[in-house]
Amino acid sequence: MALTGKQVRQLRALAHHLNPTVQIGRGGVSDAVVEQAEESLEAHELVKCAVQDGCGLETRDAANTLAELAGAEVVQVIGHRFTIYRESSRKDIEKIKLY
């Protein structure tokens, strides 16, 4: 699912106030990081991630890899942080209504 420009702007605004919940460190985008991201995406749909200094990956590369493995879309990459989005399949959470 490709996001439109309007949807990206909406998600960027929502992500502004989020703190990073997924940390990518020296191990890079490992199975544990992917699992943590998938759990966070199912619970919140929009997740901010941080790439630590010890990681050998560029932030854009880490964002693209994690998004691909988790079945998500990259919303934004700024500095050492990035935001990904995936619609949750859970019925018990309030979903983000995209324009």
Side-chain angles (χ1 to χ4, degrees), residues 14-23 46-50 81-82:
L14 292 171
H16 177 74
H17 302 290
L18 297 178
N19 291 321
T21 56
V22 177
Q23 307 286 331
L46 187 64
V47 177
K48 188 178 277 189
C49 308
R81 296 184 181 194
F82 63 91

Side-chain angles (χ1 to χ4, degrees), residues 35-54:
E35 185 178 326
Q36 181 184 10
E38 287 178 340
E39 289 174 5
S40 294
L41 286 165
E42 277 299 309
H44 305 290
E45 294 188 324
L46 187 64
V47 177
K48 188 178 277 189
C49 308
V51 177
Q52 304 300 319
D53 289 334

Side-chain angles (χ1 to χ4, degrees), residues 4-98:
T4 65
K6 192 172 190 177
Q7 291 169 335
V8 169
R9 285 192 301 276
Q10 177 189 4
L11 292 170
R12 283 176 31 200
L14 292 171
H16 177 74
H17 302 290
L18 297 178
N19 291 321
T21 56
V22 177
Q23 307 286 331
I24 300 174
R26 187 173 293 163
V29 182
S30 64
D31 292 339
V33 171
V34 174
E35 185 178 326
Q36 181 184 10
E38 287 178 340
E39 289 174 5
S40 294
L41 286 165
E42 277 299 309
H44 305 290
E45 294 188 324
L46 187 64
V47 177
K48 188 178 277 189
C49 308
V51 177
Q52 304 300 319
D53 289 334
C55 182
L57 294 172
E58 294 291 324
T59 307
R60 172 72 61 186
D61 296 335
N64 290 334
T65 302
L66 183 58
E68 182 180 328
L69 293 173
E73 295 286 330
V74 177
V75 175
Q76 182 177 31
V77 178
I78 296 180
H80 293 285
R81 296 184 181 194
F82 63 91
T83 308
I84 56 177
Y85 168 80
R86 181 180 78 192
E87 186 175 347
S88 176
S89 60
R90 289 176 49 179
K91 305 279 191 244
D92 61 334
I93 65 167
E94 184 176 339
K95 298 189 182 232
I96 298 171
K97 293 171 181 56
L98 294 176

